[in-house]
Amino acid sequence: MRERSSLGFNFLMVFISNFISLFKGIFVSIAVPKILSVDGYADYRIFTLYVSYVGLFHFGLLDGFCLKYAGKTVEQIKKEKIKTYTHILFWMEIVCSLLVLLIGSLINRRIDIIIICLSVDIVFHNLASFYQNVMQSTMQFKKYARVGVLYSIFQIISVVVLLGLKTVNHATGYSYIILYLICEFLMLMTCMLSIKGLVWGKVNYRLISYKELKEVISQGFMLLIGGLIVTLILNLDRQFVAVLFSKKEYAYYSFTYSIMNIVTSLITAMSIVLFPTLKRASKNGQVAYYKKISCGIAVLVFGVLCFLPIMESIIVWILPKYRLSIDILYSIAPALATICIIQVILINFFKTFKKTKEVCLYSIIALGISFAFNYGAYVLFGTMSAIAIATVLACLCWYVLCDRYLCRLMQLKNGLFIYVIFMTATYCLCYCDLLHVFYGMIGKALYMLIFALISAVFVKHEIYSPSAHSNIVS
C-alpha cells in the first residue's frame, strides 16, 4: 500500500511540474512562430532537430549510471562517487564539444553560429541531464519537479525577450537559438544548485574501478544506441521533409511537432518516476504497472484527439500563416498514442529487464520499416501529409513488435494492441483527408462516438473485470 501511495505522490509531483511545462509549451509553441518569420522559425526548428542528437556525446555514461543506481539512495551510492562521475563526464563533454566545433568548421569552411551553439550545448545539456538522472535515480522528485518549473519559467522569459527584440527588428531564428542556449545554461546552474552537495568538493577516482566504469558505459552504450535509433525513428519524417521539401514547408511540418510535444512532454513525464519504481517492484507489481499505465495512456491520448477541431480553430485564429500545418497535424496526430506508450512504458520495461540488445534489435527493425514507409509515401504521393501517415503506420508496427515481445516475456495476456490498432484505423478513416472516407464534422463526431463506446468497453474488460486480473501470471 505504501508503494502505491509513494508512486502516486511521485507521479503527482512530476505531473504538477509538467502541467506548468504544458502551459509553457502552449505559450512557446504559439508565441515563437507568431513572433518569428516562417524562415526564421524554420532556422530555429532545424537547430532543434539537430540538438536532439547532442545526447549521443555522453557515450552511454548517463544511461549506464541510471541503469546501475536507479532506486538507490545517495548514501548507498556515496557522494564522492557521484562527484567523480560528474568530473569524468565534464571533461568528456569538453573534448566532444571542441571536436564538434573543429569538424563542423572544417566541413563548412567557416564558423557557423548553429555549429557553435550545438557544440556549447553538448556541455550544458549533458551535464544538466546527468544531474537530472541523479535526482531521478535517487528518487529526489521534489527537486526534479522544482528544476522543471524553473526551466519552464526561463523559457517563458526568453519568449518575452524575443518579443522585445521584435520591436527593434532583431527577432530572428538565430537570436532565439541564442536565447535557447541561455536557458540551457540556466537549467544547468539550477540543477547544480539543487544538489550542490553532490556537485562541489573532492573527487576520488579510486571509488570507481575500471571494471565498474566499463560496465556502466558498456551497458549504457547499448541503451544509447537504442535511444539513438529511437531518435532517428522519431526524427526520420522531419529529415525527409527537410531534405525533399522547401525551407518554408519544413517550417509548416515542424510546427505540427511543436503542437504534439505539448501532449507528449506532459505524458512522458511519467517515465521519470516509473523506472526507479519498477526496479523496486515485484514481478507481479511490474506486470500490473505495465497493464494499467499503458491502458491509461492509450485511452488518454485517443481522448485528446477528440479536441483536434478546437486546436484547428485556435491555429487558424492566432497563427493563420500556419494554416497549411493543419492537414499535417491531422495526419500525424494518431502517432501520439504509440509514441507515448513506447517512450513511457516499453523503453522503461526493456531497461528494467535489462533487454538492451532486444530493444536495439526491434528499434533497428522499426527504423527500416519507417524508412521504407516514408520513402514509399513520398514516391507514391509526394506530399507531407502522406509522409505523416506513413510515420503513424511505422510507429504502430514498432509498438506492436515491442508490446508482443514484452507480453510474451511477462506471460501477460494484454489486448491493448488490438485497441490501439482499432482506434488508429478509426481515427484515420474519420479524420484524415488523404483517405477521403468521411468529411468535416461528420467524421469528427463519428470518431468521438466510437472512441467513447470502445474505450468504455475496453477499460471495463481490461482493467476492472475479474478476468483482467487472472491475465497476470506470477
Side-chain angles (χ1 to χ4, degrees):
M1 190 74 180
R2 181 180 293 179
E3 182 182 314
R4 289 186 179 181
S5 63
S6 176
L7 177 64
F9 176 76
N10 291 332
F11 272 140
L12 179 63
M13 291 300 300
V14 178
F15 184 84
I16 291 172
S17 169
N18 280 270
F19 185 79
I20 296 170
S21 180
L22 174 67
F23 171 77
K24 176 268 299 180
I26 295 171
F27 177 72
V28 172
S29 297
I30 293 175
V32 173
K34 182 75 174 178
I35 296 169
L36 297 176
S37 66
V38 175
D39 285 338
Y41 184 69
D43 288 330
Y44 164 65
R45 292 300 296 179
I46 288 171
F47 169 76
T48 58
L49 176 63
Y50 292 106
V51 157
S52 63
Y53 297 106
V54 300
L56 296 174
F57 294 99
H58 61 72
F59 301 108
L61 183 62
L62 271 64
D63 296 305
F65 180 89
C66 194
L67 193 65
K68 185 175 180 65
Y69 293 112
K72 294 186 177 181
T73 64
V74 172
E75 289 72 24
Q76 289 173 319
I77 303 172
K78 294 183 180 178
K79 289 184 179 182
E80 284 190 359
K81 180 175 281 192
I82 296 174
K83 294 173 188 176
T84 306
Y85 271 112
T86 304
H87 204 254
I88 293 170
L89 181 65
F90 173 76
W91 289 109
M92 188 187 298
E93 300 315 294
I94 290 293
V95 171
C96 290
S97 177
L98 293 174
L99 286 174
V100 167
L101 183 60
L102 176 62
I103 294 169
S105 300
L106 290 175
I107 291 173
N108 284 325
R109 296 184 180 180
R110 62 187 178 87
I111 300 295
D112 186 88
I113 188 169
I114 289 182
I115 293 173
I116 294 172
C117 291
L118 281 172
S119 63
V120 172
D121 197 50
I122 288 172
V123 179
F124 293 168
H125 180 83
N126 286 332
L127 283 174
S129 295
F130 176 75
Y131 293 132
Q132 287 177 294
N133 270 10
V134 170
M135 295 178 207
Q136 177 190 355
S137 299
T138 56
M139 304 188 79
Q140 300 182 62
F141 296 113
K142 284 185 179 179
K143 291 180 180 179
Y144 187 95
R146 185 165 60 242
V147 167
V149 169
L150 289 172
Y151 184 61
S152 296
I153 293 171
F154 296 151
Q155 288 197 308
I156 292 171
I157 292 172
S158 73
V159 175
V160 174
V161 173
L162 184 68
L163 183 61
L165 291 174
K166 185 180 181 181
T167 61
V168 292
N169 296 320
H170 287 296
T172 65
Y174 293 122
S175 60
Y176 192 62
I177 290 170
I178 298 296
L179 290 170
Y180 174 93
L181 197 62
I182 293 171
C183 288
E184 290 279 276
F185 173 75
L186 292 174
M187 173 73 158
L188 173 59
M189 292 296 103
T190 303
C191 288
M192 294 173 72
L193 291 172
S194 296
I195 52 171
K196 56 186 177 182
L198 304 177
V199 176
W200 313 111
K202 292 193 303 181
V203 298
N204 186 354
Y205 283 95
R206 287 177 294 182
L207 291 174
I208 304 175
S209 65
Y210 173 76
K211 182 180 178 182
E212 178 182 327
L213 186 61
K214 182 180 177 182
E215 176 194 355
V216 167
I217 292 179
S218 61
Q219 290 187 358
F221 187 74
M222 290 302 297
L223 284 174
L224 179 68
I225 296 300
L228 169 62
I229 298 168
V230 168
T231 302
L232 287 171
I233 295 168
L234 298 177
N235 287 347
L236 191 61
D237 55 333
R238 279 176 285 175
Q239 296 281 182
F240 265 86
V241 173
V243 172
L244 299 173
F245 294 84
S246 69
K247 189 176 180 180
K248 284 190 176 181
E249 287 173 315
Y250 176 77
Y252 298 137
Y253 194 92
S254 188
F255 174 73
T256 63
Y257 269 89
S258 69
I259 300 298
M260 289 174 62
N261 286 341
I262 295 171
V263 179
T264 56
S265 62
L266 183 65
I267 295 175
T268 55
M270 289 190 289
S271 64
I272 304 302
V273 177
L274 187 60
F275 179 57
T277 304
L278 286 175
K279 290 200 69 175
R280 290 185 170 187
S282 64
K283 182 180 177 181
N284 278 346
Q286 291 170 344
V287 173
Y289 287 144
Y290 185 86
K291 194 175 183 69
K292 291 181 179 180
I293 299 177
S294 56
C295 288
I297 290 173
V299 173
L300 175 62
V301 174
F302 282 115
V304 168
L305 299 185
C306 294
F307 297 94
L308 282 180
I310 297 175
M311 295 183 193
E312 176 185 354
S313 300
I314 293 172
I315 292 170
V316 171
W317 174 47
I318 299 179
L319 294 166
K321 61 184 177 182
Y322 286 92
R323 187 186 296 266
L324 293 176
S325 298
I326 292 171
D327 286 343
I328 303 167
L329 178 62
Y330 275 117
S331 300
I332 195 71
L336 275 171
T338 49
I339 289 171
C340 288
I341 294 172
I342 289 166
Q343 290 187 316
V344 175
I345 304 296
L346 302 185
I347 298 298
N348 278 305
F349 270 83
F350 275 108
K351 286 165 62 177
T352 300
F353 298 141
K354 296 185 178 180
K355 299 293 181 180
T356 52
K357 292 181 181 178
E358 286 78 3
V359 74
C360 286
L361 174 62
Y362 284 115
S363 296
I364 289 170
I365 294 171
L367 180 60
I369 292 171
S370 183
F371 184 88
F373 282 12
N374 278 275
Y375 181 74
Y378 177 73
V379 171
L380 292 175
F381 300 98
T383 66
M384 293 186 292
S385 292
I387 290 176
I389 290 178
T391 300
V392 172
L393 296 176
C395 287
L396 187 61
C397 293
W398 184 21
Y399 158 70
V400 172
L401 281 171
C402 295
D403 174 74
R404 293 298 84 201
Y405 173 81
L406 286 172
C407 285
R408 287 195 302 270
L409 186 67
M410 293 184 288
Q411 297 180 309
L412 170 66
K413 294 178 182 178
N414 186 15
L416 177 64
F417 78 102
I418 298 174
Y419 171 81
V420 171
I421 292 172
F422 180 83
M423 286 308 305
T424 300
T426 300
Y427 174 93
C428 290
L429 290 173
C430 294
Y431 270 173
C432 293
D433 290 339
L434 185 69
L435 300 178
H436 296 296
V437 178
F438 298 101
Y439 292 91
M441 293 308 298
I442 295 175
K444 294 164 186 175
L446 185 61
Y447 172 80
M448 294 178 194
L449 177 62
I450 294 173
F451 163 76
L453 293 175
I454 297 299
S455 297
V457 173
F458 169 75
V459 170
K460 182 178 179 181
H461 180 268
E462 290 292 322
I463 302 297
Y464 294 109
S465 69
S467 61
H469 300 287
S470 65
N471 286 340
I472 299 176
V473 181
S474 60

